Amino acid sequence: QVQLVESGGGLVQAGGSLRLSCAASGRTFSRYFMGWFRQAPGKEREFVAAISRSGGSLYYADSVKGRFTISRDNAKNTVYLQMNNLKPEDTAIYFCAADWRADVTMEAYEYDYWGQGTQVTVSS
């Protein structure tokens, strides 16, 4: 089992940047495929980005491609989401998630563990 704790959210103006972190407990972090999702008020949770166990393969939603960068440091049990050129439509609660079984997945239901989320608010 792994516990995930997100941090780094906040209020930022449009065009600004934030870096989210997700710290994982346990010694098997490198065995998890990791993803970031977000949920805006009144909307379903949506995929944002994901990264393979080694960090060699990256996946992004079209809406964030070119602006967001996912990375991981397996030695620190942490996955990051660098968010640049933020837009008001990026406002949401951001969640990190860990998948034990799948090699690649962008489907929320396939992830085994979730953090509590961190709020990102982008003002216009």
Side-chain angles (χ1 to χ4, degrees):
Q1 189 170 353
V2 64
Q3 293 183 326
L4 305 172
V5 179
E6 301 97 334
S7 61
L11 173 64
V12 64
Q13 289 188 333
S17 298
L18 284 174
R19 189 195 196 201
L20 305 184
S21 299
C22 173
S25 65
R27 295 178 290 180
T28 59
F29 176 72
S30 62
R31 298 181 184 178
Y32 290 90
F33 183 88
M34 299 297 297
W36 285 96
F37 290 77
R38 66 186 181 187
Q39 188 165 18
K43 295 188 176 181
E44 293 187 354
R45 191 168 298 190
E46 66 173 357
F47 169 76
V48 175
I51 187 168
S52 63
R53 290 168 175 78
S54 68
S57 297
L58 311 178
Y59 308 88
Y60 296 99
D62 288 342
S63 58
V64 306
K65 202 171 294 184
R67 300 188 297 122
F68 291 11
T69 302
I70 188 171
S71 61
R72 68 190 296 165
D73 186 336
N74 286 341
K76 295 183 178 179
N77 282 12
T78 303
V79 61
Y80 305 97
L81 186 67
Q82 178 67 44
M83 305 186 296
N84 298 328
N85 190 21
L86 283 160
K87 304 176 181 180
E89 51 264 42
D90 294 319
T91 295
I93 300 174
Y94 283 71
F95 301 87
C96 72
D99 190 311
W100 172 260
R101 295 157 293 176
D103 290 330
V104 178
T105 179
M106 281 70 86
E107 299 292 341
Y109 72 88
E110 292 191 330
Y111 284 78
D112 303 294
Y113 303 104
W114 291 82
Q116 82 290 347
T118 185
Q119 177 71 47
V120 171
T121 302
V122 184
S123 63
S124 57

